[in-house]
Amino acid sequence: MPRILLLLPTTTYRTEAFLAAARRMDVEVTVGSEKLNTLARLNPTALLTLSLHDPERAARQVVDFAAKHPIAAVIAVDDQVTVAAAAICQALSLRQNSVESVLAAGNKYRMRELFQQAGVPSPGFKLCRLDDDAEVIAGQLHYPCVVKPLELSGSRGVIRADDEPQFVRAVGRLAKILDAESTKRKAASRALHFLVEDFIDGPEVAVEGLLSGGRLRVLALFDKPDPLDGPFFEETIYVTPSRLPSDVQDQIAECTSHAAQALGLTEGPIHAELRLDDDGPSVIEVNARSIGGQCSRMLTFGTGISLEELIIRHALDSEWEPPIRDPTGGRDDDSHPAGGYTA
Amino acid sequence: MSQDEIAITGEPITDAMCRFSVDRPVYPEKSSYFGSKEQAEGSALAERLFAIDGVRGVQISHNLVTVRKAGMDEWPVVGKQVGAAIREFLSSGESAVSDKFRDAIPSADEIREQVQNVLDTDINPSVAGHGGVIQLIDVKDNVVYIQMGGGCQGCGQADVTLKFGIETAIRAAVDGVGDILDVTDHASGRNPYYVPSAK
């Protein structure tokens, strides 16, 4: 039975879904977390404490562990452990994204630079310093624009500004968010930079995909029917299957694939956000992880495979072709109104 | 009795578990859990169910049969095979659970005492370090019901602690334990040690 290493930060809300998927597949599981589980001494081969904030050290720890307990695949369940997963895979010679590619996917400025170099359609951008005079920067910008931190997720700190006063207020607000974040992380200093991007006026979509040897397979395309015009961009409703015309869906897939290539991502799940305007799709971001929130519960593939199971299967066998998504949820004609079925 | 007249309804509980409700008792007023094919040997219904590809656990309780499976097939597909196995068993007139299996299972009282001992000596002193406590709520037949409190209730690591700590410790120390079920309302946890992100 192969052993997988699940990198589960203690604050993730996806533990249950990944453990259920692993259990269903009959694989041995070792959980790697950044803090000690109180019962680790009772099951040391299943409960590892790893320095996930220090990927090179985490890789050395796992190499030592794997000498006695070979690991067939490493799966990062959240943004914050993708770099550690890449470093561990590199040390174990397992197929994975390079450390450089996941670092780029985790830094919005680096991502924008790589998109620009590769000709991936994406918003115009400018890197700014938080300690520079916001009023001076405000005078140099086109409006509307969007202020963004370089590394936070979940749209935190992403604020639209339609004019100079709004921009100055947005930067002040972002500075407070970054201060709070550095206090929470007990970081020595807060982030120094932020990004200003052109606001793309148009509907937003999300792509859930799986990369294998650099080839993208789109698992689901989500429409976001609520207008995301700002000033804040909190996530609301996702709808899939998409109602967009098939040629637009093809453009979105092609654009996402191009963006993943630009970052150097080649393996595993990706989650991308794009905006559509008259010029076609523009890539807002591509992350080297699966969809956040509870959205994965909506997705089943083939005969009821969960997204988490699909990710684990792919990590164990790159040749495995994921089945297509079942948009109906998999009920058959024997369904009972109450939810049961005739056996 | 015609096999076709036996009504069986499957209600999936999770992707991996489904409860089949039969319109008549299959194991009257009794309950047993089988965690492996080897355990099921000689028990007519359990043996038939374990012959189905992917079946990993079977709980038989009066007119309810709960099946845990691994594998890719969806419940309506596997359920047809489960239904056929139950009908074949009912028409055979055999006993669902063998005397040998029944005699080998410790009583619920014995399991309760041993599980409580594991909680008292191995588990609770450790989880107390994070303000947690694990309570034994009940043992029915060989199924153990526990509740996670204090820092464990709603903790981001609760599922890891349950599956890789508590289950491992109990199964290592107590023979004949069936499912170990967590009945905690984690959403109501007021002071979880590791707070899951809000997304």
Side-chain angles (χ1 to χ4, degrees), chain B residues 116-147:
Chain B
Q116 189 63 57
N117 187 46
V118 174
L119 293 179
D120 292 344
T121 58
D122 275 342
I123 294 172
N124 277 328
S126 295
V127 298
H130 285 184
V133 62
I134 311 300
Q135 285 184 290
L136 176 60
I137 299 300
D138 202 358
V139 177
K140 285 183 180 167
D141 303 305
N142 60 349
V143 178
V144 175
Y145 298 84
I146 59 118
Q147 191 171 53

Side-chain angles (χ1 to χ4, degrees), chain B residues 3-91:
Chain B
Q3 287 193 27
D4 293 338
E5 292 169 3
I6 302 169
I8 304 172
T9 304
E11 295 173 67
I13 301 165
T14 66
D15 284 352
M17 195 180 285
C18 184
R19 183 192 298 116
F20 295 87
S21 176
V22 188
D23 67 353
R24 65 205 71 190
V26 292
Y27 190 35
E29 308 299 333
K30 290 178 183 159
S31 178
S32 280
Y33 174 84
F34 300 84
S36 70
K37 202 167 194 167
E38 290 70 32
Q39 280 187 334
E41 272 176 28
S43 294
L45 177 53
E47 200 171 88
R48 283 180 171 85
L49 293 170
F50 268 99
I52 299 168
D53 195 30
V55 169
R56 294 288 184 270
V58 171
Q59 166 101 24
I60 306 170
S61 181
H62 192 63
N63 72 322
L64 299 175
V65 178
T66 306
V67 177
R68 198 178 77 232
K69 72 171 175 68
M72 311 261 288
D73 287 335
E74 205 177 350
W75 278 116
V77 178
V78 178
K80 295 288 183 195
Q81 300 172 64
V82 170
I86 294 171
R87 288 187 178 91
E88 187 185 294
F89 155 74
L90 284 169
S91 67

Side-chain angles (χ1 to χ4, degrees), chain A residues 242-304:
Chain A
S242 171
R243 295 177 183 179
L244 292 167
S246 61
D247 60 326
V248 177
Q249 294 192 28
D250 290 345
Q251 287 174 30
I252 290 167
E254 192 179 326
C255 198
T256 305
S257 177
H258 190 187
Q261 280 174 19
L263 295 175
L265 298 173
T266 56
E267 295 294 339
I270 60 162
H271 178 78
E273 311 270 346
L274 299 91
R275 285 218 168 205
L276 309 173
D277 65 7
D278 294 342
D279 296 329
S282 285
V283 180
I284 303 300
E285 61 184 50
V286 176
N287 297 293
R289 57 155 172 86
S290 54
I291 194 167
Q294 304 293 349
C295 298
S296 74
R297 291 182 184 177
M298 290 171 60
L299 303 176
T300 56
F301 301 85
T303 52

Side-chain angles (χ1 to χ4, degrees), chain B residues 106-120:
Chain B
S107 69
D109 284 344
E110 286 175 282
I111 291 175
R112 188 177 293 115
E113 186 181 333
Q114 292 177 60
V115 169
Q116 189 63 57
N117 187 46
V118 174
L119 293 179
D120 292 344

Side-chain angles (χ1 to χ4, degrees), chain A residues 84-226:
Chain A
I88 292 167
C89 285
Q90 191 173 307
L92 294 176
S93 299
L94 295 174
R95 193 173 40 85
Q96 243 289 11
N97 292 313
S98 66
V99 171
E100 296 72 25
S101 67
V102 291
L103 280 171
N107 182 299
K108 293 179 175 67
Y109 175 58
R110 181 70 184 136
M111 187 187 297
R112 285 274 166 270
E113 280 190 320
L114 291 172
F115 287 170
Q116 190 176 56
Q117 287 166 20
V120 176
S122 56
F125 64 98
K126 177 182 174 70
L127 183 69
C128 301
R129 287 183 65 94
L130 276 162
D131 53 5
D132 282 347
D133 188 336
E135 292 187 3
V136 174
I137 301 171
Q140 302 166 354
L141 301 173
H142 302 290
Y143 295 94
C145 67
V146 178
V147 171
K148 275 187 179 180
L150 299 192
E151 295 187 343
L152 294 185
S153 60
S155 300
R156 280 181 301 160
V158 180
I159 307 167
R160 170 175 165 167
D162 287 341
D163 53 33
E164 294 184 24
Q166 282 187 15
F167 174 80
V168 173
R169 282 199 297 276
V171 173
R173 189 166 187 140
L174 173 60
K176 286 180 186 170
I177 291 170
L178 291 171
D179 278 342
E181 186 65 19
S182 64
T183 304
K184 193 170 125 190
R185 290 185 183 177
K186 297 177 182 166
S189 59
R190 78 168 188 200
L192 292 175
H193 295 92
F194 66 100
L195 206 58
V196 183
E197 291 180 359
D198 295 338
F199 175 75
I200 296 178
D201 193 5
E204 192 163 310
V205 296
V207 174
E208 194 67 11
L210 191 67
L211 289 165
S212 188
R215 184 167 67 96
L216 175 69
R217 279 171 282 196
V218 174
L219 301 175
L221 174 59
F222 294 91
D223 295 340
K224 298 186 183 183
D226 281 352

Side-chain angles (χ1 to χ4, degrees), chain B residues 115 118-119 123 144 146 165-174 177 180:
Chain B
V115 169
V118 174
L119 293 179
I123 294 172
V144 175
I146 59 118
I166 298 168
E167 279 201 26
T168 302
I170 290 175
R171 291 191 192 286
V174 187
V177 169
I180 298 171

